[in-house]
């Protein structure tokens, strides 16, 4: 190895780590993991793998990481695989462990930034399967701002009888109602998850994968491939090679993740009927790259974008069925042709979005999954940003219209998800109730748990259109019904949600986009003066650190918000 290597703009991060005699120790360490002389002259591509046996969403990603590394190597780079974490919402939901779910997004971002920043990777491929993987990977790529590509691990296939993980959660509620035997519940349990891949509806994983493809940070079709398929393996190999092309042209995430690109992502997830978690995650991703994005942007875009996809949880079809008819590329072409997407946005292909979509074939005739623009499922967005005296800084509702657009009822107040779940299952909760689940926000939980167990229990008991649920926590992409989350300020910070009492009237209007507690200002003031902030639930460890650092849900619940 010479004293100094020839300049190579593609190696601006790895060269300081491995070039020159004074870096002999660095090279010695790398030789032990497979580097040879020629490799030290190649751009290094870090392959961030979220592989784990923790969840079927990620159980196959080690194999995909190997393929991505091969793609990088064959394109003239040196791929280096490293791991980051994943947790499983599907396993942890309804337990104390779920408090670590949103925290894992920050840990993933921190770990990718940490490893790549330390090791001097010139470019990156990040492969995510479960839903926090995707924004976590994207936040890490944005912070580093080095040429990179995100790869989605792919969707799971349907279980027996067209079932999925939400079928299992709702079976629990049906059993509590007396509509399903224990034997039937066990049968659903045993067959609903047939193998690797992320949860099969337009839940948070598939929502975020679609958003990232629309954003331009994944290769075309990456969001709509089955987890175990030749297409997914080809996607991974192509991603490894694509990083080398991005390095040659010095195309970085900041060139792709622009304001207009985020508007494209919002447009696509509205058309798909995507998860409320997309609001939280897209704001967090925009923060990481320095793009201004707020709750009100979802309202503005939602007024002109209809819901077109008949996908679970509120619809009928699964992501694997959308894969069969062409994925989201035909949908994006339809939206582009209607003037609803910005076609001039750069993507990881090195081409613009319009160039990528130029040859996209339309959907097959007579398919029933994606409706035409003139016959939408809902004329404007299902993601409603609500304001009122219960949410002066905003709240996020998922209202498809099937559950109605207005709800007025009496408050039934709970201080935790577990308490609410017990009262739903034992029949205490009845038609006309507005379930208030508080102290579950980013700081109060801490961790802003998803309310999938209670919402599924409500649906399973047949109360989906007769009970509303509001919370400073959040919802799974699999939740449906009349639900409002992300209420800010959260109860732990003294938000009005902390002041609600049993029997209070609450009115939610998803047309006027309002959520109000029907008490007068004097009573609100009296309750506020009597309120005392609870003691933190955790004082040490990652949850305590998170609670001290995390921002409001309305700003993405991030831990590095600029001061």
């Amino acid at each position: 190895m010479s004293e100094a290597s020839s300049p190579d703009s593609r190696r601006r991060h790895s060269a300081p780590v491995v070039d020159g005699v004074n870096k002999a120790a660095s090279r010695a360490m790398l030789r032990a993991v497979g580097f040879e002389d020629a490799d030290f002259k190649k751009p290094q591509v870090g392959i961030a793998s979220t592989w784990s046996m923790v969840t079927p969403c990620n159980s196959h990603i080690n194999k995909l990481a190997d393929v991505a590394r091969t793609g990088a190597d064959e394109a003239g780079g040196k791929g280096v695989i490293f791991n980051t974490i994943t947790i499983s919402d599907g396993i942890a939901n309804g337990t104390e462990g779920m408090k670590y779910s949103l925290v894992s997004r920050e840990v993933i971002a921190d770990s990718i930034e940490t490893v790549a920043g330390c090791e001097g990777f010139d470019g990156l491929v990040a492969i995510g399967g479960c839903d926090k993987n995707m924004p976590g990977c994207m936040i890490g790529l944005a912070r580093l701002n080095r040429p990179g590509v995100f790869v989605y691990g792919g969707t799971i296939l349907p279980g027996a009888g067209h079932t999925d993980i939400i079928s299992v959660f709702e079976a629990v509620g049906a059993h509590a109602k007396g509509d399903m035997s224990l034997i039937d519940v066990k049968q659903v349990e045993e067959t609903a998850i047939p193998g690797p891949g992320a949860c099969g509806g337009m839940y948070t994983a598939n929502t975020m994968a679609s958003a990232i493809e629309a954003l331009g940070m994944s290769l075309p079709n990456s969001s709509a491939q089955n987890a175990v398929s030749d297409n997914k393996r080809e996607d991974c190999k192509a991603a490894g090679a694509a990083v080398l092309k991005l390095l040659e042209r010095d195309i970085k995430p900041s060139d792709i993740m622009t304001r207009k690109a985020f508007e494209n992502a919002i447009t696509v997830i509205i058309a798909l009927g995507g998860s409320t978690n997309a609001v939280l995650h897209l704001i967090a991703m925009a923060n990481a790259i320095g793009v201004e994005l707020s709750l009100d942007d979802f309202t503005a875009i939602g007024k002109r974008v209809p819901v077109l996809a008949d996908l679970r949880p509120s619809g009928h079809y699964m992501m694997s069925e959308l894969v069969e008819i062409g994925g989201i590329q035909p949908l994006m072409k339809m939206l582009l042709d209607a003037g609803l997407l910005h076609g001039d946005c750069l993507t990881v292909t090195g081409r613009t979005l319009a160039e990528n979509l130029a040859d996209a074939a339309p959907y097959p005739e007579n398919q029933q999954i994606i409706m035409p623009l003139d016959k939408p499922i809902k004329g404007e967005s299902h993601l409603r940003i609500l304001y009122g005296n219960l949410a002066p800084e905003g709240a996020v509702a998922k209202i498809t219209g099937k559950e109605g657009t207005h709800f007025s009822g009496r408050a039934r107040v709970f201080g935790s998800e577990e308490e609410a779940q017990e009262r739903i299952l034992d029949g205490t909760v009845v038609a006309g109730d507005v379930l208030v689940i508080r102290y579950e926000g980013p700081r109060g939980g801490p961790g802003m748990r998803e309310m999938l167990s209670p919402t599924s229990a409500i649906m399973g008991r047949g109360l989906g259109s007769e009970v509303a649920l509001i919370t400073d926590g959040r919802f799974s992409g699999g939740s449906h019904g009349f639900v409002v989350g992300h209420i800010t300020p959260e109860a732990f910070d003294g938000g009005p949600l902390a002041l609600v009492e049993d029997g209070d009237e609450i009115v939610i209007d998803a047309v006027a986009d309002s959520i109000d507690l029907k008490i007068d200002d004097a009573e609100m003031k009296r309750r506020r003066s009597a309120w005392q902030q609870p003691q933190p639930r955790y004082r040490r460890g990652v949850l305590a650190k998170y609670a001290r650092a995390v921002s409001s849900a309305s700003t993405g619940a991030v831990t590095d918000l600029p001061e």
Side-chain angles (χ1 to χ4, degrees), residues 129-472:
C130 202
D131 56 5
K132 305 311 172 299
N133 300 171
M134 278 157 276
C137 287
M138 289 301 302
I139 291 168
L141 293 177
R143 289 180 189 168
L144 290 159
N145 200 29
R146 301 177 189 181
V149 177
F150 176 78
V151 175
Y152 178 40
T155 189
I156 198 170
L157 295 173
H162 208 244
T163 53
D164 64 6
I165 185 62
I166 305 305
S167 307
V168 188
F169 278 98
E170 293 185 358
V172 174
H175 172 68
K177 186 182 178 185
D179 287 348
M180 185 174 283
S181 70
L182 282 173
I183 292 173
D184 289 338
V185 173
K186 190 169 187 291
Q187 183 176 9
V188 175
E189 173 194 328
E190 290 176 343
T191 60
I193 312 296
C199 298
M202 189 47 63
Y203 311 144
T204 304
N206 284 315
T207 297
M208 292 311 302
S210 301
I212 293 168
E213 182 177 327
L215 190 67
M217 284 297 293
S218 289
L219 294 175
N221 289 317
S222 184
S223 71
Q225 294 165 338
N226 294 327
V228 181
S229 66
D230 290 341
N231 286 340
K232 181 47 64 183
R233 290 176 60 84
E234 290 167 6
D235 181 40
C236 291
K237 188 172 183 179
V243 175
L244 274 295
K245 294 180 180 178
L246 294 172
L247 282 164
E248 289 170 5
R249 295 179 57 181
D250 194 27
I251 297 174
K252 300 181 292 294
S254 58
D255 300 312
I256 297 170
M257 297 170 67
T258 63
R259 165 72 190 204
K260 290 200 294 185
F262 276 99
E263 291 180 359
N264 285 346
I266 294 170
T267 296
V268 169
I269 61 108
I270 290 172
L272 288 169
S275 166
T276 54
N277 280 317
V279 179
L280 192 75
H281 295 326
L282 287 172
I283 291 174
M285 288 158 53
N287 171 71
I289 204 69
V291 168
E292 292 289 331
L293 196 69
S294 73
L295 291 174
D296 294 339
D297 291 316
F298 289 82
T299 297
I301 294 170
K303 288 180 179 178
R304 61 178 183 264
V305 178
V307 178
L308 301 175
D310 187 18
L311 293 167
R312 292 189 180 186
S314 56
H316 298 94
Y317 295 96
M318 294 191 185
M319 191 67 178
S320 58
E321 292 165 302
L322 182 59
V323 169
E324 291 177 6
I325 65 167
I328 72 168
Q329 290 282 296
L331 170 65
M332 291 172 65
K333 183 67 161 59
M334 184 193 313
L335 295 170
L336 178 68
D337 290 346
L340 294 172
L341 291 179
H342 302 289
D344 58 344
C345 290
L346 188 63
T347 74
V348 291
T349 65
R351 301 188 300 271
T352 65
L353 183 72
E355 289 171 332
N356 289 345
L357 293 172
D359 296 325
Y363 288 119
E365 291 186 12
N366 301 319
Q367 61 82 25
Q368 299 295 313
I369 303 174
I370 303 294
M371 299 296 104
L373 283 164
D374 60 353
K375 295 181 180 179
I377 290 173
K378 190 173 188 289
E380 57 182 43
S381 180
H382 63 300
L383 298 176
R384 314 300 298 189
I385 308 302
L386 311 183
Y387 291 95
N389 68 356
L390 262 180
E393 294 178 9
V396 181
K398 183 178 182 180
I399 307 294
T400 66
K402 294 180 180 179
E403 57 285 284
T405 58
H406 184 277
F407 196 98
S408 177
R410 56 192 175 276
R412 194 179 291 274
V413 182
F414 303 101
S416 71
E417 178 186 358
E418 289 89 347
E419 184 184 354
Q421 177 77 351
E422 290 175 7
R423 300 290 79 81
I424 296 166
L425 293 176
D426 71 10
T428 300
V429 171
V430 295
D433 284 348
V434 178
L435 278 64
V436 177
I437 304 179
R438 62 191 180 194
Y439 299 113
E440 289 285 7
R443 294 187 64 214
M448 203 179 180
R449 285 192 288 184
E450 293 179 347
M451 302 294 132
L452 179 57
S453 291
T455 58
S456 297
I458 289 169
M459 298 304 294
R461 289 190 66 87
L463 295 170
S465 61
E466 298 176 334
V467 167
L469 191 158
I470 70 173
T471 180
D472 50 8

